[in-house]
């Protein structure tokens, strides 16, 4: 029986290079790497050596025979990826080693300490003698890997161990409580480093632009997630969990995370990294149902299939989709199989996935507010995609807690140019355009998309640009 990649896959692709028969795809050099929701093992080619298991930083790879009942769907998901065959070389093309031509005294400053920053540091440390100084605004490192990953996703949080190992390298210095533009300037950093890499992420939420969106009781799912993960900026926040329903606008993976945390049995969170005050609040919560609303249909939903499978396998939580929406999917579609297999028991809390609705206004006073929606229909576009068109049919839903999860935006970085349209720093392969010896990686470079491990290849490109400049100009 082959090995199988499961839900916690972070797409960092360390397993790809560990595999002796190159049967894990897509590899980072393949075009679909950037759009795939996870990596997949070809069950026909796997020789069961187990090398990928130890290479994976998030414990995502399982021997087929040891899959838990709620993971068996992943065996199908892995096999499905290879259904139509796939040309591949015998080995994945290796990443060329970095070389510095002038001595070995490279000093690099990295601003931020989330996944993009840590992968950039890891890459620089492959150069003998190179040193890295990491500047973090908070008193705790690792950014979204610590404050964005749900506490019950313990395997994904295992990536923190990898980051701890990077920090333990004696050539790395971590400077906490330091913010560029407040306590230190870009010029200060340039004065003592050969280059500065900004890995500051996309820390602003896209705002809901409807009347009433600024009413008290409406907040973002990101802030709610930061609160239950103990982020110091949000530890004092209070969320009203006294109503029977919460609504989440947007249906990406963060939306599913907060819906799951709001509905699962708090006892299952007790042994996780959840903040104790949040666990106490969830124990007192009266929320029985979370409705997750998307403006497009089930087929176009923003959540990934692995996250949906995980949600459907949550004990004590029903996941409900209207029959007419579920019926659109082929019977053997992994999403349909997961949703049909989701538990339905009296006494369970519920996550309702609703589609083809756009919010138009919010009204009411605490503790219950009313969200107004317009029903959408899907119109095929010339490029083959489906566009959303409002039908004029209106709906309302009431809830005590309203969370928005409609994407992130980068914030301007003091001393660097900024593109308001893309909310990124303009760059060429990570080189900041119009700024000397400044580089970007992660979401501030490419926009808020991809998974934790996607940052590894983004960081490799940026560090290669920095080294090329260092070698050519010093
Ligand atoms: Fe490749 Fe071995 Fe993992 Fe199979 S078990 S995917 S052959 S590394």
């Amino acid at each position: 029986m082959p090995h199988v990649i499961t839900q916690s896959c972070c797409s960092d692709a360390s397993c790809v290079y560990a595999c002796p028969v190159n049967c894990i795809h897509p590899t980072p050099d393949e075009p679909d790497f950037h759009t795939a929701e996870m990596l997949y093992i070809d069950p026909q080619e796997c020789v069961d050596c187990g090398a990928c298991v130890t290479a994976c930083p998030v414990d995502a790879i399982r021997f087929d025979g040891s899959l838990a009942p709620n993971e068996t769907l992943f065996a199908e998901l892995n096999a499905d990826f290879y259904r139509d065959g796939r040309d591949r070389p015998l080995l994945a093309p290796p990443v060329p080693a970095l070389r510095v031509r002038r001595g070995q005294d490279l000093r690099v400053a990295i601003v931020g300490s989330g996944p993009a920053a840590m992968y950039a540091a890891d890459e620089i440390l492959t150069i003998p003698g190179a040193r890295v100084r990491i500047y973090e605004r908070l008193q705790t490192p690792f950014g979204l890997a610590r404050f964005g990953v749900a506490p019950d996703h313990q395997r994904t949080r295992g990536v923190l161990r990898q980051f701890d190992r990077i920090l333990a390298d004696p050539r790395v210095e971590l400077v906490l409580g330091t913010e560029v533009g407040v306590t230190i300037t870009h010029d200060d950093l340039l004065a003592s480093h050969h280059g500065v890499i900004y890995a500051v992420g996309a820390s602003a939420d896209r705002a809901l632009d409807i009347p009433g969106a600024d009413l008290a009781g409406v907040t973002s799912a990101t802030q709610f997630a930061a609160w239950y993960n103990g982020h110091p900026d949000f530890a004092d926040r209070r969320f009203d969990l006294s109503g029977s329903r919460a609504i989440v606008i947007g249906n990406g993976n963060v939306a599913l995370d907060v819906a799951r945390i709001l509905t699962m049995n708090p006892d299952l969170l007790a042994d996780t990294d959840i903040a104790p005050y949040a666990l106490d609040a969830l124990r007192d919560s009266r929320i029985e149902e979370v409705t997750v609303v998307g403006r497009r249909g089930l087929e176009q939903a923003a959540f990934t299939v692995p996250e949906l499978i995980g949600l459907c396998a949550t004990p004590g939580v029903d996941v409900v989709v209207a029959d007419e929406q579920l019926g659109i999917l082929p019977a053997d579609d992994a999403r349909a199989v997961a949703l049909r297999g989701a538990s339905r028991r009296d006494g369970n809390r519920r996550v309702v996935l609703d589609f083809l609705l756009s919010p138009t206004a919010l009204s009411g006073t605490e503790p219950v507010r009313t969200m107004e929606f317009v029903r959408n229909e899907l119109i095929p576009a010339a490029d083959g995609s489906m566009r959303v068109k409002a039908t004029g049919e209106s709906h309302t839903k009431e809830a005590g807690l309203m969370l928005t999860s409609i994407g992130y935006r980068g914030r301007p970085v003091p001393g660097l140019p900024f593109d308001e349209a893309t909310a990124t720093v303009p760059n060429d392969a990570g080189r900041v355009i119009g700024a000397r010896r400044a580089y970007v990686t992660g979401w501030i470079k490419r926009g808020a998309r991809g998974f934790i491990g996607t940052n590894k290849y983004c960081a490799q490109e940026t560090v290669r640009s920095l080294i090329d400049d260092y070698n050519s100009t010093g």
Side-chain angles (χ1 to χ4, degrees):
M1 279 190 278
H3 279 62
V4 174
I5 301 184
T6 63
Q7 184 189 348
S8 57
C9 176
C10 70
S11 295
D12 119 332
S14 301
C15 55
V16 164
Y17 301 100
C19 178
V21 293
N22 193 20
C23 71
I24 306 176
H25 294 269
T27 56
D29 58 297
E30 293 175 332
D32 49 349
F33 177 77
H34 299 284
T35 52
E37 295 185 343
M38 55 180 277
L39 305 184
Y40 307 87
I41 290 175
D42 184 345
Q44 303 298 325
E45 300 292 334
C46 173
V47 296
D48 267 343
C49 68
C52 53
V53 176
T54 40
C56 178
V58 290
D59 197 18
I61 305 180
R62 291 273 178 278
F63 176 57
D64 189 340
S66 67
L67 288 172
N70 61 7
E71 293 177 324
T72 52
L73 200 45
F74 284 96
E76 280 300 303
L77 209 56
N78 279 241
D80 273 350
F81 188 73
Y82 297 94
R83 220 47 101 193
D84 299 330
R86 196 171 179 97
D87 287 336
R88 62 185 175 88
L90 271 179
L91 287 174
V95 180
L98 293 168
R99 295 269 180 270
V100 291
R101 293 208 193 98
R102 303 173 313 100
Q104 297 191 329
D105 65 342
L106 181 69
R107 303 285 181 271
V108 178
I110 298 178
V111 181
S113 66
M118 299 313 297
Y119 283 121
D122 199 28
E123 196 62 19
I124 292 163
L125 294 173
T126 62
I127 302 167
R131 289 183 169 274
V132 176
R133 193 176 282 144
I134 297 172
Y135 293 89
E136 166 57 49
R137 178 179 73 85
L138 300 175
Q139 294 296 339
T140 321
F142 307 148
L144 271 187
R146 185 186 298 281
F147 297 119
V149 177
D152 60 327
H153 281 175
Q154 287 294 314
R155 290 199 213 157
T156 306
R157 295 179 75 89
V159 78
L160 298 177
R161 289 193 297 274
Q162 185 184 10
F163 295 163
D164 275 331
R165 281 195 291 274
I166 295 169
L167 278 190
D169 190 304
R171 293 180 291 142
V172 176
E173 182 185 351
L174 175 64
V175 183
L176 296 171
T178 304
E179 186 172 0
V180 176
V182 178
T183 46
I184 198 166
T185 67
H186 177 61
D187 286 342
D188 292 337
L189 296 178
L190 277 185
S192 50
H193 301 88
H194 295 106
V196 183
I197 298 177
Y198 288 86
V200 293
S203 57
D205 290 295
R206 284 191 192 279
L208 198 58
D209 187 18
I210 60 171
D214 55 350
L215 290 176
V218 184
T219 189
S220 76
T222 330
Q223 294 188 12
F224 185 67
W227 169 75
Y228 61 61
N229 277 322
H231 192 300
D233 290 354
F234 301 96
D236 293 337
R237 291 289 300 271
R238 294 286 175 271
F239 295 92
D240 184 357
L241 309 182
S242 63
S244 62
R245 181 197 276 152
I247 292 178
V248 186
I249 304 296
N251 60 12
N253 286 348
V254 174
L256 295 202
D257 274 348
V258 297
R260 192 181 65 256
I261 295 294
L262 280 167
T263 48
M264 70 189 292
N265 182 344
D267 288 345
L268 298 177
L269 293 166
D271 290 330
T272 70
D273 298 330
I274 192 168
Y277 58 76
L279 184 61
D280 289 345
L282 289 168
R283 285 192 192 285
D284 292 339
S285 166
R286 301 232 175 113
I287 291 176
E288 293 294 325
E289 176 182 306
V290 178
T291 302
V292 178
V293 182
R295 67 189 188 95
R296 297 184 295 169
L298 172 55
E299 278 186 295
Q300 298 81 27
F303 54 70
T304 62
V305 175
E307 286 302 316
L308 179 66
I309 293 174
L311 174 67
C312 291
T314 307
V317 178
D318 290 353
V319 183
V320 180
V321 174
D323 285 344
E324 68 268 19
Q325 293 172 339
L326 191 52
I328 293 169
L329 297 176
D332 61 351
D333 182 283
R335 291 165 294 190
V337 175
L339 286 164
R340 291 204 174 92
S343 69
R344 299 282 169 93
R345 293 224 180 99
D346 288 347
N348 276 3
R349 288 175 169 176
R350 292 154 43 101
V351 174
V352 178
L353 303 179
D354 209 344
F355 300 93
L356 296 170
L357 289 173
S358 289
T360 53
L362 186 63
S363 59
T365 52
E366 288 177 294
V368 177
R369 301 205 176 283
T370 302
M371 183 75 85
E372 294 171 36
F373 296 90
V374 64
R375 175 71 67 193
N376 296 324
E377 61 182 344
L378 294 171
I379 308 287
D383 63 2
S385 64
M386 300 300 276
R387 298 279 156 82
V388 163
K389 185 173 170 223
T391 63
E393 179 188 328
S394 60
H395 287 260
T396 59
K397 292 180 190 289
E398 291 187 338
L401 178 68
M402 305 272 187
L403 300 173
T404 60
S405 185
I406 53 175
Y408 307 97
R409 278 180 63 82
R411 294 180 197 272
V413 179
L416 299 189
F418 190 71
D419 181 341
E420 283 290 345
T422 60
T424 58
V425 170
N427 71 93
D428 177 13
R431 289 181 188 88
V432 176
I433 294 171
R436 199 169 53 96
R437 290 189 282 135
Y439 303 83
V440 281
T441 189
W443 283 0
I444 195 65
K445 169 187 174 185
R446 64 179 199 274
R449 59 180 182 275
F451 310 104
I452 287 178
T454 316
N455 293 297
K456 182 169 178 169
Y457 295 90
C458 185
Q460 282 178 343
E461 181 189 59
T462 295
V463 171
R464 197 159 290 280
S465 294
L466 185 152
I467 299 302
D468 286 348
D469 294 348
Y470 175 71
N471 284 337
S472 61
T473 67

